[in-house]
Amino acid sequence: KELHSQLQTAVLEANLDEEETEESLEQIQAIAEVLQDSKDDTVKKTAKRAMKILRGTAAALPSSAAMVTIFNKLPYLISNIF
């Protein structure tokens, strides 16, 4: 839950346009669902797609942005769940 909150805060503070912010928040929610049901293959695929979308969004930001820092750690954190 703490990670979910950190991700949401990072997105909101990233100064993204409205569409990117909304899309990023949706992808964070998809990842949160994986954390609740990591055995469902469909949910895993959704999380992987969400990670790709979020990485693309974060790539356009300065490397010092909180969103970039958190998303760089995210694959490691999620891989521990699978």
Side-chain angles (χ1 to χ4, degrees), residues 9 12 25-26 32-33 43 46-47 54 56 58 61 64 69 76 80:
T9 300
L12 295 172
L25 292 173
E26 287 175 10
E33 290 173 11
V43 176
T46 300
L54 290 170
L61 298 172
S64 61
T69 303
Y76 171 76
N80 288 334

Side-chain angles (χ1 to χ4, degrees), residues 45-82:
K45 287 180 185 178
T46 300
K48 287 180 183 180
R49 187 173 65 242
M51 290 290 296
K52 288 179 184 178
I53 292 169
L54 290 170
R55 271 192 221 116
T57 301
L61 298 172
S63 61
S64 61
M67 183 175 170
V68 174
T69 303
I70 292 171
F71 288 126
N72 285 339
K73 296 176 186 174
L74 195 57
Y76 171 76
L77 296 171
I78 289 181
S79 70
N80 288 334
I81 294 166
F82 293 133

Side-chain angles (χ1 to χ4, degrees), residues 15-67:
N15 295 323
L16 302 170
D17 66 35
E18 187 176 329
E19 184 178 330
E20 287 178 320
T21 298
E22 185 177 316
E23 178 69 20
S24 294
L25 292 173
E26 287 175 10
Q27 300 312 316
I28 290 167
Q29 184 58 41
I31 292 168
E33 290 173 11
V34 165
L35 300 178
Q36 294 172 6
D37 188 10
S38 63
K39 294 179 182 166
D40 183 335
D41 285 337
T42 303
V43 176
K44 286 182 185 181
K45 287 180 185 178
T46 300
K48 287 180 183 180
R49 187 173 65 242
M51 290 290 296
K52 288 179 184 178
I53 292 169
L54 290 170
R55 271 192 221 116
T57 301
L61 298 172
S63 61
S64 61
M67 183 175 170

